[in-house]
Amino acid sequence: MDLHELNDIAADQRAAQKPCVIRCCMAAGCQSAGSVAVLKALQQAVTEAGKQNTVEVRSVGCLRLCCQGPLVQTDPDQRMFQKVRPEQAPSLVSTLDGRTTDAEPCDPNAPFFALQANVVLVNSGRIDPEQIEHYIAADGYAALARALTEMTPQDVVEAVTRSGLRGRGGAGYPTGVKWSLVARSKGDRKYVVCNADEGDPGAFMNRSVLESDPHSVLEGMAIAGYAVGASQGYIYIRGEYPLATQRLQTAIRQAGRLRLLGTHILNTAFDFRIDIRIGAGAFVCGEETALMASIMGERGTPRPRPPYPAESGLWGCPTLINNVETFANIPQIIRRGPEWFASIGTPKSTGTKVFALTGKVRNTGLVEVPLGTPLRVLVEDIGGGSPSGKIKAVQTGGPSGGCVPAHLLDTPVDYESLAAVGSIMGSGGLIVMDEANNMVDVARFFMGFCMDESCGKCIPCRAGTVQLHRLLTRILDRKATRRDLAVLEQLCGMVKETSLCGLGQTAPNPVLSTLRHFRHEYEALLRDE
Amino acid sequence: MAVRTLTINEKLVSAPEGATILQAARENGIDIPTLCQLDGLSTVGACRLCLVEVGPSGRLQAACVTQVAEEMVVRTETPKLREYRKMIIELLLTERNHVCAVCVANHHCELQDLAVKLGVDHVRFEYLHPHLAVDVSHELFGIDHNRCVLCTRCVRICDEIEGVHTWDVSGRGTNARIISDLNQPWGESPTCTSCGKCVQACPTGAIFRQGSTVAEMEKDRQRLRFLLTAREKREWLV
């Protein structure tokens, strides 16, 4: 495979494109709503109408409005249909001839779609994630080709640094700085690891990206491998994502067959192999040192840092670990330039962020917006507000994050602003709550999650989360006194400051942030001493 | 060997490059409480008792795994550290059943010593009183999970010194347990060499030598009869 052959594949694919495309969402959300049967019915309806030569029924990734699945979209007339049933397939196909259908329309110009950005999710819902030719026709692997043939590894690191991209796993560490640390580390062997152990309750951003556009992650990883001098990559994916794993396996096999992974990639001296490692259901394995232990076949528990992975990671070698979404941004930064990327978002938080919008909100689904977008736009305009009428708070960052109260909804979504109001950006979970949600109960839910997911290595996290959960339960049972509330606050501070890894250090955050903004709810539940 | 000069508790000390804060402190007679650390074994930084305040920001770092650096400023005894260490001991005391009065390790227990030293005179958390197993299937030793603090000193000494790795940890969070081999009774372990290193490494009464526990006290009542006979009949039976 060389650049010309890559261009040929893209040209052939575009030439073979039929004039009409019916896209049926086959991501996990729509599949669970029955889209497999819808896809089959659509294919059959096209055949029965004798339109096989002009209409392509395409299995695509996430079409974003998950709450209304199964979703179907037609081209070139740009119509969308929601909650499609298999028996509606014939009439849906007939709309291509201008006929009417009883399938429920979905307005693609509604704020939910119109206010979204298209960077990470540019191919999501457009291409068939199981066809590498589709990805190549959408300029896929052009960034890798450009990096390998026109840029030095230092150029690539420089471009990523200039783009201002920050880690999308949650902490927001500058990606370019991380890459240059690994690139400068001495070592014959280096590794690139993609963290796909997405585990926050209610979060499905990474799953959607992997199910919808797996090649963008592979391409991002290969570019990273070239930039830092690694020839082996691992994708650590959680075991609960069988569909994403299967699509990744397919993608890796296809890329290997076209020599876009493996040895002598694109006829250069660059070798890069990617293997999948599947998690066994431990949330803590999303923590980078625990993740590496798990990849190496050890018990998935964190270890103290330093040494950081950039210096000593997998098998003691320099290791670059980035999140799925971080890697998915890379091809476009290389192809469209760091300046283009930096022009999106805010000066300190560039680019876009994908969110999984859930909870008490009308439109739940996958949402991508430029960083700096106010939370209000996300939940009220894109999300359509709460069905009950009044939003009480928005939870960001999952069990490590916090609740932003309704009066702070104008907070822009960027790393610093969210931290200033006591929450975090996190990996992209966004849970909307209304007046029916008791905030102490919300805090206890997340504490219960951390308690169950604590690995048990360090005492503050292992035993502290249990006691925090007990104290919250006491408060909810109206058995707690002011003294218990004081102990709760002391213990939160202690667990936060003394725990070994990020799980324990951030476990008190949901309590601390609800105490900060909703203290009266705690106090209302106390009994007299 | 390069030497690093640092300040611990306002005192200038020097330590070889690569030494940990804990080593530097001990060399200079400064005591930092530890539990999971044991000389000769790898360090895991798990018990968090050796946390010290480092630098102007006072960031907490585990002294057992943090290497000394030039001009580093370390504080090992501050009101906050004392409070956090007490809380760690309280958390351990409530997590499992640490009943000193009936424990084989009473007065020979590092957890008890720490509680006394750190001034744990009351416990502010709720006792969990879990129901935990005692495995006395091994002919010489026993393991009582009620006393275990999950320091993993047994796991490490078995793996790193004896080279056997009979012990490991199963489960997670507060449900984590020390297990032998594939979670089978210790007495059925095909790898255990009965070397007894874990008994010595265990800081509490969790791993013990059989015959030493409270309930194992056996009395020979027959002896009383011999004494009586000897006294009344002036007759020695033996």
Side-chain angles (χ1 to χ4, degrees), chain B:
Chain B
M1 192 187 295
V3 170
R4 295 281 173 264
T5 310
L6 65 156
T7 311
I8 304 182
N9 298 347
E10 322 294 331
K11 182 182 167 189
L12 266 181
V13 303
S14 58
E17 183 184 5
T20 63
I21 295 174
L22 182 65
Q23 287 164 339
R26 283 182 176 169
E27 278 295 308
N28 289 278
I30 299 164
D31 181 54
I32 300 175
T34 56
L35 182 60
C36 66
Q37 188 272 345
L38 190 65
D39 284 344
L41 300 184
S42 62
T43 44
V44 287
C47 75
R48 318 307 284 166
L49 280 167
C50 71
L51 286 178
V52 292
E53 292 188 14
V54 178
S57 65
R59 216 181 128 210
L60 303 191
Q61 289 189 293
C64 68
V65 290
T66 308
Q67 293 186 0
V68 295
E70 194 63 30
E71 293 186 11
M72 185 183 239
V73 178
V74 178
R75 280 179 199 83
T76 70
E77 286 291 333
T78 64
K80 180 160 83 176
L81 288 173
R82 272 198 287 273
E83 185 61 20
Y84 284 175
R85 286 173 188 153
K86 267 169 96 166
M87 287 171 103
I88 289 173
I89 299 298
E90 288 173 48
L91 285 173
L92 282 180
L93 292 176
T94 52
E95 190 183 27
R96 295 195 178 183
N97 305 307
H98 296 282
V99 189
C100 301
V102 291
C103 180
V104 54
N106 195 7
H107 294 298
H108 306 280
C109 171
E110 290 182 34
L111 178 63
Q112 191 182 39
D113 294 347
L114 282 165
V116 172
K117 190 161 86 181
L118 298 172
V120 179
D121 46 16
H122 72 287
V123 169
R124 72 196 89 177
F125 309 118
E126 203 178 335
Y127 283 91
L128 304 180
H129 297 307
H131 293 279
L132 298 173
V134 180
D135 179 358
V136 284
S137 58
H138 192 282
E139 59 176 342
L140 297 174
F141 315 121
I143 177 166
D144 180 355
H145 294 282
N146 293 286
R147 315 286 194 234
C148 176
V149 291
L150 293 169
C151 66
T152 69
R153 274 158 51 162
C154 55
V155 177
R156 284 174 283 149
I157 204 162
C158 186
D159 177 46
E160 297 165 14
I161 309 292
E162 180 64 3
V164 173
H165 204 132
T166 298
W167 297 118
D168 213 315
V169 184
S170 81
R172 66 175 179 233
T174 203
N175 297 318
R177 297 283 180 276
I178 297 295
I179 56 165
S180 41
D181 290 319
L182 297 169
N183 199 12
Q184 58 215 93
W186 191 359
E188 292 170 21
S189 162
T191 61
C192 176
T193 61
S194 303
C195 72
K197 290 187 178 65
C198 53
V199 181
Q200 303 309 324
C202 180
T204 69
I207 302 183
F208 54 88
R209 189 175 291 281
Q210 284 204 28
S212 58
T213 71
V214 177
E216 284 178 303
M217 163 63 104
E218 282 176 16
K219 299 215 172 179
D220 190 355
R221 303 285 182 199
Q222 288 296 319
R223 294 235 160 225
L224 293 175
R225 268 189 55 115
F226 299 156
L227 291 172
L228 197 67
T229 312
R231 183 176 165 145
E232 289 180 352
K233 299 184 180 171
R234 303 196 174 273
E235 198 176 287
W236 297 94
L237 292 178
V238 179

Side-chain angles (χ1 to χ4, degrees), chain A residues 97 108 118 492:
Chain A
D97 301 326
N118 275 306
C492 277

Side-chain angles (χ1 to χ4, degrees), chain A residues 164-181:
Chain A
L165 176 65
R166 295 170 67 174
R168 296 296 193 242
Y173 192 77
T175 306
V177 174
K178 205 186 238 188
W179 285 31
S180 69
L181 282 174

Side-chain angles (χ1 to χ4, degrees), chain A residues 482-504:
Chain A
R482 208 153 270 287
R483 197 181 301 169
D484 291 310
L485 188 62
V487 173
L488 178 81
E489 291 192 86
Q490 282 175 343
L491 190 53
C492 277
M494 180 266 195
V495 171
K496 190 183 170 89
E497 274 201 89
T498 61
S499 289
L500 170 59
C501 84
L503 195 160

